[in-house]
Amino acid sequence: MSRTRGGGRHLDEDDIRVRARGGSRPRTRTRPKHENAVEGLVTAVDRGRYRCLVDGVPVVAMKARELGRGSIVVGDRVDVVGDLSGRPDTLARVVRVRERASVLRRTADDTDPVERVIVANADQMAIVCALADPAPQPRFVDRCLVAAYDAGLDPLLCLTKADLADPGELVRVYEPLGVPYEVLRPDADLDGMAARLTGRTSVFVGSSGVGKSTLVNRLVPGTDRAVGHVNAVTGRGRHTSTSALALAFGGGWLIDTPGVRSFGLAHIDPEDIVAGFADIGEVALDCPPECSHQEGTEDCAVAAALAKGRLDPDRVASLRRLLASREGTADEPVDAE
């Protein structure tokens, strides 16, 4: 149905609805092509503003309205238009987000349906775990490994504060799985770590207080990422870095993320969680369909292998806790240690 307005041209129903939503100027449903847009890399996000590196120039941009509510995260490759000079008080626009090669996600807990995208386009996850102050968190490491494998990222275990405790126990658990690791001391060089990061896009993940930002500051001098201390009563660190930040390093990128106290896996199917435990996953292939792998489960190959001493009890316990938490039947919080 069409209507006339003041004797002028006919307006159809769509025109009227578009006008009524906010002004007298009709909007087109055809999104602009922005053929002159230039590619950039999102290196930081702060309250709706995106810091992008465009042809080597840091540019601040906002998201174009036509992009809708989709999130833009550090590591995204985007197309940008507008003032790309990088001068103070200038603002460009992000008009497209390019297809992502990888996406690292987490949820607040194992039953939360809302996914939180941490970074895009990384190819390596550096899992930072302190050997002391705070105590090691192998369950947190296991969660990160599952998330890394699900996202297609290569894991790298970074054991910090090796001057305070022996790394032998954690190395014993993860070395047989083929997980590469670096033992880091504050008085030793970082040549080995730097070699593993060169030419790659690595996202650093760890609990608060494990020395993640300290490590980043050593790798990229002058970064001045805020560092915190561990609470002597709770044994937990205080959140210091509040947002992700991408830093150029060795022909690639190093992405520091805020410390987290939980790493929910609600977005990952239980079968994929089991596959994340490579040593257990092979055994689980002999389990009956939809086996829960919990203690007392009938015909469970994992339980049988555990009883014969073929699997590490701590690893099996970690998997069982993850699966129980994923199903909402665990009695402990996600980040319990």
Side-chain angles (χ1 to χ4, degrees):
M1 176 178 178
S2 299
R3 304 179 191 174
T4 59
R5 188 177 182 183
R9 73 176 182 87
H10 279 69
L11 300 180
D12 61 22
E13 296 285 358
D14 287 340
D15 281 334
I16 293 169
R17 280 194 292 269
V18 170
R19 286 178 183 268
R21 285 173 55 189
S24 59
R25 184 177 179 181
R27 297 178 193 158
T28 175
R29 285 183 172 79
T30 303
R31 293 186 176 183
K33 294 182 179 180
H34 297 295
E35 289 90 347
N36 61 335
V38 180
E39 182 181 353
L41 170 71
V42 178
T43 59
V45 179
D46 182 19
R47 291 171 292 186
R49 293 293 183 264
Y50 305 92
R51 190 188 310 167
C52 306
L53 195 66
V54 181
D55 290 334
V57 177
V59 173
V60 177
M62 61 181 291
K63 181 168 63 174
R65 181 177 296 178
E66 62 261 26
L67 289 183
R69 292 191 174 186
S71 64
I72 300 174
V73 298
V74 170
D76 268 325
R77 296 281 177 176
V78 297
D79 288 339
V80 189
V81 299
D83 192 329
L84 307 181
S85 67
R87 292 190 300 265
D89 301 322
T90 58
L91 193 62
R93 277 189 303 148
V94 175
V95 294
R96 277 188 295 269
V97 180
R98 300 203 171 194
E99 184 177 356
R100 293 164 170 169
S102 68
V103 179
L104 177 62
R105 302 177 174 92
R106 74 178 182 94
T107 56
D109 57 50
D110 289 331
T111 57
D112 184 358
V114 180
E115 297 180 8
R116 292 159 173 80
V117 178
I118 300 174
V119 296
N121 298 317
D123 56 47
Q124 180 170 243
M125 181 196 286
I127 307 167
V128 185
C129 176
L131 293 167
D133 190 33
Q137 298 179 317
R139 283 184 249 167
F140 183 87
V141 173
D142 288 342
R143 288 176 172 277
C144 290
L145 286 175
V146 171
Y149 294 138
D150 178 72
L153 310 185
D154 296 328
L156 171 63
L157 186 57
C158 307
L159 304 177
T160 62
K161 306 185 183 182
D163 56 318
L164 302 180
D166 181 34
E169 180 59 24
L170 278 182
V171 171
R172 179 193 68 79
V173 172
Y174 294 104
E175 188 176 30
L177 307 180
V179 178
Y181 66 90
E182 287 290 326
V183 177
L184 306 169
R185 295 175 172 80
D187 57 348
D189 64 58
L190 296 175
D191 292 348
M193 182 74 181
R196 295 186 185 275
L197 300 175
T198 297
R200 308 203 63 172
T201 299
S202 303
V203 52
F204 279 53
V205 177
S207 301
S208 301
V210 297
K212 181 168 53 60
S213 292
T214 298
L215 177 58
V216 170
N217 288 339
R218 289 185 63 198
L219 287 165
V220 188
T223 303
D224 296 328
R225 291 289 271 177
V227 298
H229 302 283
V230 176
N231 187 300
V233 176
T234 65
R236 289 178 169 179
R238 179 174 61 87
H239 294 293
T240 48
S241 301
T242 58
S243 60
L245 175 67
L247 302 162
F249 182 89
W253 293 92
L254 182 162
I255 303 176
D256 186 25
T257 63
V260 295
R261 288 179 179 161
S262 66
F263 207 110
L265 302 175
H267 60 294
I268 301 178
D269 291 335
E271 293 82 1
D272 293 328
I273 291 178
V274 176
F277 289 71
D279 50 336
I280 304 175
E282 292 183 6
V283 175
L285 293 175
D286 295 327
C287 287
E290 300 183 0
C291 179
S292 69
H293 310 299
Q294 299 296 342
E295 186 175 0
T297 303
E298 186 175 356
D299 296 329
C300 177
V302 171
L306 178 63
K308 295 176 182 178
R310 291 171 47 203
L311 293 175
D312 187 315
D314 290 338
R315 296 274 296 161
V316 174
S318 182
L319 171 63
R320 286 173 169 172
R321 279 189 294 265
L322 273 178
L323 292 174
S325 181
R326 172 68 175 75
E327 296 302 317
T329 59
D331 295 327
E332 59 187 350
V334 171
D335 61 338
E337 271 302 326

